[in-house]
Structure formats: structure tokens, C-alpha cells
Amino acid sequence: MNRRDILRRSAAAGLLATPAAGLLSGCAMSDGDDKKSDSGAYKGTKSEQNPLGVKEDAPLEVVIFNGGFGEEYAKAHEAMYKEKYPKAEIKHSATQEINKTLQPRFVDGTPPDVVNNSGAGQIDFNGLVSQNAIADLTELLDAPSLDQPGKKVRDTLLPGAVEVGSYDGRFLVLNYTYTAYGIWYSTKTFTQRNWQYAKTWDEHIALCRQIKAAGIAPWTYAGKHPRYMSWPLIATAIKFGGPSVATAIDNLEPNAWKSDAMKAAADAWYQIVKDKFILDGSPGLDHVQSQTAWCQGKAAFISCGSWLENEQAKVTPAGFDMTIAPTPSLGSGDKLPFEAIRGTAGEPFMVPAKAKNVAGGLEYFRVMLSKKGAQDFTKKVASLSVVAGATDGAQLPYGLTTVVKALEASGSNGFNWVYNNYYRKLERELVDAACGEFFSGRSTPAEFLDACQKGADSIAQDSSIKKYKRAA
């Protein structure tokens, strides 16, 4: 076994997963190549037609997370890149295990040029950022749009798209999709049964009783990924107490999870558990199983993001008419109106700092952020991109049409939180575990919030984890 094999095996033990670990960059140098600069990056000459300085014959390697959106949309973007740079050889691969597949290459100093760092097996962004392992994308924002004359790329993006991918003021991660998170139901079922979606919490509980009496479970959820239920609970708290509730959580402020708003929200959602409004067996279901049970009419409501329609396309009955709606208001004292919904950029892409073709990676993003690239994405996967106006005149599926309407109705009242981007472990492990106990009925609201707060405090006190501050 040579030195490089030893390093690769060491990487598999989780070097990148801990923010304090180094990238072992001393082993990262590859053999010389006369097409590359001394830094190992392919470089072309910048011009009006080539603002990012792409070397036209430099190969480009793209690795895609093969999840709810699949990989066909990426192949289309690659074809658009190839059309512009016909001499460039593009290597495409897709995996559901980004961390396991790519971590050794980051440690080795040989990462791909474009990485769709998504899914349960993603590489922790906190570690990547703290080790300066991601290229700065600011140059991309200031480049001209490929097909919107007179506009820079930054001028074509929806609000919040840059903020959610920024760390300490540096734009490092392109979150390509624009996702709404809400409560989903079947308009067909509700129309047939003469049910009305509830705008207040008391009305929601009354509706749940009505649904249960009809022999249908009001709720189901992804029991193996119970953090899905943290989304409507936190949304309820933010609508009750205002956006400062989210900022406090994002900034790891003491007792942020025990604010009056979070207590009110947890108490409200506990009624769903206490009154047995959740489909039996839900704690044992994964996201696809729970979503499929919902599509089969076994439950009326499910919490999810707007990728739901595409992810369930193969099993959704014709005419199901899945519809997204905001969380009900706790009462007239809410600081945000009923229509306010969580909307955010998601599905993260990055260009590794040690990629051989950084300029090509940025140009690939410029292709993705063209109107043509964004329209093709929406057409293929029934999801919005972060490119403003890309759906104008497009024929959208039913569910996505409701997402567009919900975001329009929410307008400037829309909200988001970013603690899950800053501190992946906090949402994916600690809050996830707390939700598992709470929504299965094994903990009280006070115990749930205490567990979440202890998780946040453990992150705050861990000096190996880089901290970020979100502006109020």
C-alpha cells in the first residue's frame, strides 16, 4: 500500500466531517500538465465573450446527487456547456453518497470541478468552509447573464438566493432550486369531502377531528427523518413571534429554542400527537414511504418541500392535485399573516477551491443560471430554480402551480432560517432526534425544546466548529 492509498483510507474515517481537521494539502499536488498553471487550475484568456476566463479545451468533471431531481437535468446543462465549448470533454457521474464518494478526493487534493453537495450523505459545509475548500463565487455573480442582455447574473436571481449560500459575507454555495416548505394536501380529496383548509390552529384541530372521524389519519410524516416535522413547527413559531425567532436560532443565542414563540408552537403541535392524529406506524416510515401513504389517501396532510411532486410522480394518482399551503396561524396575535410561507434557495452546488477547472465550474453555473438552463430544469423536474421569471409562460404541473401562487401570496412576508446550512449536525442529528421523540409521543413539549436547546448549546460550545452570524 503506497502513501496515497493510506491517505485515501484515512479520509474514509471522516477527516472532512470534523471542521477542525485539515485537508492534508501537502499530498494534493498532481503531476504537472502543460495545459495548467502552477496552481493546478486550467486558465483561459478573459474577454467580453469569455468573462470568466474559461480554457475552451479544458475538461470539466461534474458530480451530481442522484436524489429527487435525478440527473437528466444536469446532462442537459452539460450539453449546453458543450455547445459553447465543443472542445471540452465533460465527465459526468451521479451518486447518492456524496461524502463517501468524494471525501477521499478532497483530502487528496483532486476534487471534481462541480459538486452537487446534497442529500443525507453530503459533506458538511461547515468543515469545507472553515478549511477554505470551496471557491468564491462572487466573480460569477458579477459576470453578465448568458441570455438576459444588460443584466449581471446577480440581477437575475430571486431574493435570498445569495444570502443562503454566503458564509461571513462570501458567496460560496449556489443553491439552485427555489423551494417552498409547507403543508401538503390533495385538493381532489378535500373537494370531494367538502373539507376546507384551515387558516387558524383551532380550525386545523377541528378539521383533523373531522378527518379522523371519516376514517383517515389527519397526518403522516417521515419517521426515519423526523426533522421534516420541525419545519412546520418552527414556521408556526416564526409566524407567531416574527423573523427574530429564526435569527436567534441561527445565531445560537442562549435559550433561542425556548422562546415564548417556540413554546407556543410546540404546545400547539403536541395536540396532533396527543390526540392521535398521526397515521399509525409513521415513526417507522422513511420519506418516500410516508409520502406514498399520503398519495394513497391514508393521511390528509404531510410536511415537505416543493420537490415532493417530482419525487412522487410515479405513484401519484391521476387528478390527485397536490397542493401546498402555509402553516395555520396560532391566532390574531401572530406577527406574520397566514399567507407567510417559508421560501428558500436549496439544492447546493459548489466549485472546490482545488478543482482543476475552477473557471469552467463557474461557467457551468452561468449556464445553469441562464433563462434557458433554468426553464429546462423546471420542465424536467417540476421544481422552481432561483432564476427570476424563468417560469413565465411555462406550462407547470398542478402542484408547482400552487407553489408559485403560495410564494406570490406570501410576498415580502416570506421567511427562512439557515442554522441547517451553518451547522448541519444540529438539524440532521440533534433536532432530528428530538423530533423523533416528540412526534412519536415519547417526550413533552418542554422536553423537546430542552433537547433542541441542549443540541444548539453543544454546537455553540464546540470550539472546533466555526460559527457564523446572520444579520437581523
Side-chain angles (χ1 to χ4, degrees), residues 380-400:
K380 280 185 167 61
V381 306
S383 185
L384 303 177
S385 76
V386 292
V387 179
T391 60
D392 292 351
Q395 194 74 25
L396 303 178
Y398 191 95
L400 192 56

Side-chain angles (χ1 to χ4, degrees), residues 68-69 178 184 306-311 313 375-385 395-401 403:
F69 297 127
Y178 202 79
W184 292 79
S306 49
W307 62 81
L308 176 65
E309 185 172 35
N310 187 63
E311 198 163 53
Q375 287 173 338
D376 189 79
F377 172 79
T378 296
K379 184 179 175 183
K380 280 185 167 61
V381 306
S383 185
L384 303 177
S385 76
Q395 194 74 25
L396 303 178
Y398 191 95
L400 192 56
T401 301
V403 170

Side-chain angles (χ1 to χ4, degrees), residues 88-141:
E89 179 190 339
I90 298 179
K91 181 181 178 184
H92 168 98
S93 60
T95 177
Q96 292 190 345
E97 298 287 348
I98 294 292
N99 191 340
K100 194 182 292 183
T101 305
L102 296 183
Q103 191 186 69
R105 294 183 59 184
F106 272 88
V107 176
D108 221 12
T110 60
D113 304 306
V114 172
V115 179
N116 175 201
N117 186 30
S118 187
Q122 73 177 172
I123 304 172
D124 178 28
F125 272 112
N126 190 292
L128 289 167
V129 174
S130 66
Q131 296 168 57
N132 295 313
I134 310 177
D136 194 315
L137 304 179
T138 304
E139 190 179 8
L140 165 71
L141 294 177

Side-chain angles (χ1 to χ4, degrees), residues 20-52:
L23 280 173
L24 302 185
S25 57
C27 69
M29 297 308 293
S30 56
D31 296 332
D33 188 321
D34 59 7
K35 291 183 181 178
K36 291 174 280 178
S37 71
D38 291 337
S39 67
Y42 290 100
K43 291 185 178 177
T45 305
K46 291 185 179 181
S47 66
E48 195 175 325
Q49 286 74 37
N50 186 11
L52 297 171

Side-chain angles (χ1 to χ4, degrees), residues 223-250:
K224 292 187 178 177
H225 310 288
R227 66 181 180 277
Y228 278 45
M229 289 301 284
S230 72
W231 303 337
L233 191 153
I234 297 172
T236 299
I238 292 170
K239 289 169 76 164
F240 180 75
S244 62
V245 173
T247 308
I249 288 174
D250 292 339

